[in-house]
Each structure stands twice: as C-alpha cells, then as structure tokens.
Amino acid sequence: MTRLTHLLLPTEREPPADAEALSHKLMVRAGLVRQVGAGLWTWLPAGWRVHRRIEQIIREEIDAIGGQEMLMPVLQPADAWRRTGRYEVDELFKLSDRKHADMVLAMTHEECVTTHVAQLVRSYRDLPLILYHFQVKERDEPRPRAGIMRTREFVMKDSYSFDRDRDGLDVSYERHVIAYGKIFERSGLEWYSVEADVGMMGGFGAHEYMAPCGAGENDVALAPGYAANVEVASAQAQPVDVAEPLVSPERVHTPGATTIDQVSRLLGVPAGGLLKAFPVVTDGRGLVLVLVRGDHHVNEIKLALALGEAFRHADDEDLRSIGPAGFVGPVGADVSVLLDDGVADGGYVVGANEPDHHLRGVQPGRDFAFQRADVRTVQAGDTVGGHPITIEPAIEVGNIFKLGTRYSEALGATYLDESGTEQLVWMASYGLGPARIAAAAVEQFADEHGIAWPKALAPWDVEVVALGKAGSDELAASERLYDELRDAGYDVLLDDRDAGPGAKFADAELLGCPLRLTVGKRSLAAGAAEAQIRRGRQDVDGGVSLDGAADAVRQLWPSVR
RNA sequence: CGGGAUGUAGCUCAGCUUGGUAGAGCACCGCGUUUGGGACGCGGGGGUCGUCGGUUCGAAUCCGGCCAUCCCGACCA
C-alpha cells in the first residue's frame, strides 16, 4: 500500500496541544503514531514501516553474531519473578488469572529465558548461546513522557547470552559491542556508548548507548575520547581560588546563613572556597560526613558506589551529636569524613557545628581527618585528559549489561563441565528500543518543515509527488516513474491525491522521505522529474530523467543522506 | 508519590468572569470552478461541553467529588 490515496496517513497541521517534545509533535503530525492512553501508542502504517526497518537492521546484526531469534510471552506466571526477587518491583504489572493464579506482564525476559536455559541446557557443549526476540515490554511507569520516548508498553529487542564462565561472557559481550556499533552506524543516528551505572541490579559492567537529542532524559558528559553518563562520570574539577589556611581555624559569626550562597555572600568567599557538608547514615558506618566543594554537588549514585553500601540522608536526630543543619562541619566532630577528590589544598570555610557560626581557614588533614573519594557530579568545563567536558542531553536507545550469575543462581541454570562438575551459567542481557531509535532520529534531523529521516530508517526511500489531477499526463508519468522505481527495488510512496501542490509538498516534507521526485507540467516538458533531497531541502540540478529514471536514481542515491 | 495545568466537533481553540439550551478556523460530505508551495464559491453532516452529584425555574458557565491527559520534580529493576 504505497499510494497516498489508499494509505492511512493522517497528517495534521497542528501539533497535539499536550505535546512538548519535538519527536512527539512531529511523529503525530506526520501520521506515524497515535496516542491511546498515557504511555500507550499505536503505530500507524507509515510509522510501523520505520519501526520494522529498524527491527530488520537489528535482526541482521544480531543474527550475524550468532543470535537465535525466538519469541517469549509477555504474560507470565509470577513464580520465577518471585524467585529472582523482581516480583517486588513497583514497575512490574501484576495481575491474576481466572483461577486466581498470580501473573505478571514481563518488563524484560530474563526470568523466562533463564528458565528455559535451566531446563534445556545440560552440558558445556550446549554453550555459549545467544537468544533474542523482539517483544513487547510492559512497565507501570510512574510518569510516561515525551510521546514515544518513555512509554508503558514498547517493543524491545532483548538478547541474552549464556556462557560457561566469565571469559566466555566477555566474548559474548564484546560481540554485542560490535553488533551494536554496526546497528547504530547503519541507522544513521548520531550516537555514542557511555559507561553506565550498574544500578541496584548488581552485575559488573554496563554500557548505555545514547543518542543526543533535546528531549533526552539523561545527561551525558563528553570529551574527546570520553563519554559517560553524568550519573557515573568522573572528571578533573576546574580549579578555584582558595585562600591559604589560617594558622588555626577562625570562628566567624554567620547568623542565619545556612546555604552556600548565603555564607559565600556574607563572608565574601567564592562558593568554591567553602566545603559543603552532606551528612548521610549507613548501616555499616553510622553517620558519615561527605564534603564537597561549595560549588559542587554530591552525586548520590557515585556516593553509594564509593561507600559500597546504601545510605540515607541524615535527619535532625542523627545530627544531634554534631552541628545543627546548615552549620554542620568536620572540625572536632566525632564522625568519619569522606572528602571529595575535587577538594584541593587550601583554607576552607566550613560549618562550626554550632548555630550561626562557621569556621574559616580550615585545612583538611590538619584540622580534621578524612578519607578521599570521588563523589561529586561533574560539571561542564571540568576536564578529562586535559580536555574540557560538555554535558548534553541524550536519550538511551540501548544498553548492555553483564549480569553474571544472579539469574542462573535464582533459577538454577547450571551445566556440567568437562569434568562432570555442575557450574552456574554466566549471563548478560542486551536491550535495544526501536521506538526510541526512531524518535531520536526524528529529533536529530528535523527542521522547521518536518522530519528528515536517515536513509536507512525512512518509511519510504522515495516519495513521488504527482502534480495534476486524475487523467492528466503528469499523473500518468508519475505512475510510470513509480512502477519503474519499485521494479528497481526502491520503496516508493506515490502522492496521487487530488490535492494542490502546496499541500503535497508540505506533507512530503513533514513525512521526511529522503528523496522527493516531483512530476508536473514544467518538468514533464523537460522529460524529467524534479528531485529534492529532504535533508537540507537540496534541489538536484536537472532532476531525474524520466527516461531511465531508475538508473538516474541509482546514481543519485549515494549522495542522498 | 509531591507540585502545577488542562479537559467544549476528527484537530487547534473561543464561549465560562456576569447562568438563558454551543461557535470559529482547519478537516470531512455534495456540486462547480481551480492545480508548481497548505485554493475558491455555494450547500451540508458532525458535539450527552470528561464524568458523577449539588445549587437553580434554568448549568458548558457557579460549587463539590471522581476520572483522564500533559508539564516540573521524585522515581526510572
């Protein structure tokens, strides 16, 4: 169905009133998707073509590293989820069937695939194994947002590797790194992979694949040769002028000054000359005073990693042994102190542990003992390898994760090695979201006229715009052009509607097929179709000759971006 | 889960302050004229005004509950 007169392509002049993200507005306006409910979307025919093209790229590359495609159900018994501990996850949809058996809607498929492997894999000869599928994921998101970017139901390609040991896992992981690189290169997206937080799930290695775009939910720190999620990024702090330490700390009156800003202004000291106290409590250590430079922020993910255990913010009760909130400091306090790596030598202003007072000229080491750790959030302008970093929003389009044996232990996935000894299977999981790839492509390449798809993702390669109404020479010539290009292997959309040229051009630019061929009186007289490359709206000199059009397009195609 | 906003035709919105039985533009249907950047004329179809309740002779409009959607934050195995 590639004639516009027969295609359900409901384009809109206006974006939906509640749309904020560019991809949300454009994908709805271009007739690719329609909303059903919060975080629930229908892919209309043109949008689904894009989705399927992305799937196909992924399929080819995962097949190329030995992945075996299969299909697992979304609706699953709760049992395996109880065994892995994920039944408690809030985002998991839970329901019961007519026999009152507990069921879940899968948010990923580790439980299911591992259960199969536990039953089907017996010997080291059965490993390694890469299994994957494209299947719907269900997540009871607290807040779906940005159109297709964060939804409650979406298709994911998830693959799972099963290996004999950790070395084998590394090989499977590396294969996916290569496959993912090819997938994103082929997609035409701007992308990078970043070090990622391994999260509450444990594991021992993870990468996220990020596509920079305005509607992105993540912040990514970038420098030449460096890319990391701000959640885990490390960088050299920009230096700040700090006073020399005083001979001994001097107590200063700072009435009501409980914030960095207030103290800084009151004492005429730059924020970076203060030490911000961030008191936390852990099971293992009790109260810990985390200190970062006044112009820095504590990164709670890095802090948890540095502590090696979970923590909570200290409350007034916890602070009773030291100072009141707002005037907490390390000097004379009987607590362990974690000093951020970004704090250089110097004389700092710190809380005095008494109301309305601070200490100045405090020298870490001399005036209080500490342990060092990297626990701050990096900032634009910090450096990595001497290069300043920038921080960009990006959307996570894929992730790969070394799981280890967490699931195989919980679900009994073992095999017998050469010596007949039972061993746990080593696992990793690898996700990719075609919908997010599509949305990121829209965001990255749209202009004021609409979408400009990368060639590999476009719903059609070529849109032929026929000017002139039914029975006209132009339409007849368009039909011939359309047939010839289709025979030559191109996906072609023919705008054969009885509409004015303005409406047709506007819709074509909104939909964003890479190449537009226009057949009107003018060009017909010259024996050619006008050609415009969507990206940049570049006209092609001389257009495409109608005599031998397929060859002409074939020649032109490499220069289409 | 906290904070904010919005719900009127397929879409974008007006009407609500000051209660009197619903409108515009676009889209859609018919006829005609148009056809190189979102055409024009004439005629037409389409809305329990999110929902439930209250006040009132009378509610899209005032009041209350609920629901839905969006945005910010928290959250995002």
Side-chain angles (χ1 to χ4, degrees), chain A residues 522-540:
Chain A
R522 229 155 57 190
S523 55
L524 198 54
E530 284 151 51
Q532 187 185 77
I533 295 168
R534 176 62 186 86
R535 190 80 60 85
R537 296 211 307 162
Q538 246 185 311
D539 286 322
V540 176

Side-chain angles (χ1 to χ4, degrees), chain A residues 124-143:
Chain A
Y124 68 93
R125 292 189 187 88
D126 299 328
L127 298 171
L129 211 46
I130 294 174
L131 303 173
Y132 78 100
H133 69 346
F134 291 88
Q135 178 61 292
V136 162
K137 303 290 174 271
E138 304 284 348
R139 297 184 184 182
D140 196 357
E141 290 285 348
R143 182 151 101 85

Side-chain angles (χ1 to χ4, degrees), chain A residues 294-340:
Chain A
D295 59 336
H296 289 157
H297 297 281
V298 172
N299 178 325
E300 301 200 10
I301 291 170
K302 288 169 71 176
L303 176 56
L305 288 173
L307 290 168
E309 59 180 325
F311 66 86
R312 63 174 173 82
H313 296 198
D315 56 27
D316 289 347
E317 186 65 23
D318 301 313
L319 293 179
R320 189 167 293 181
S321 62
I322 47 175
F327 300 96
V328 172
V331 179
D334 184 25
V335 292
S336 47
V337 173
L338 205 59
L339 186 67
D340 179 64

Side-chain angles (χ1 to χ4, degrees), chain A residues 34 96 108 117 136 280 287 353 358 397 424 427 510 516:
Chain A
R34 278 290 157 109
S96 55
T108 58
V117 167
V136 162
V280 299
L287 185 60
N353 288 325
H358 281 78
V397 286
L424 287 169
M427 282 181 64
L510 186 56
R516 186 182 87 202

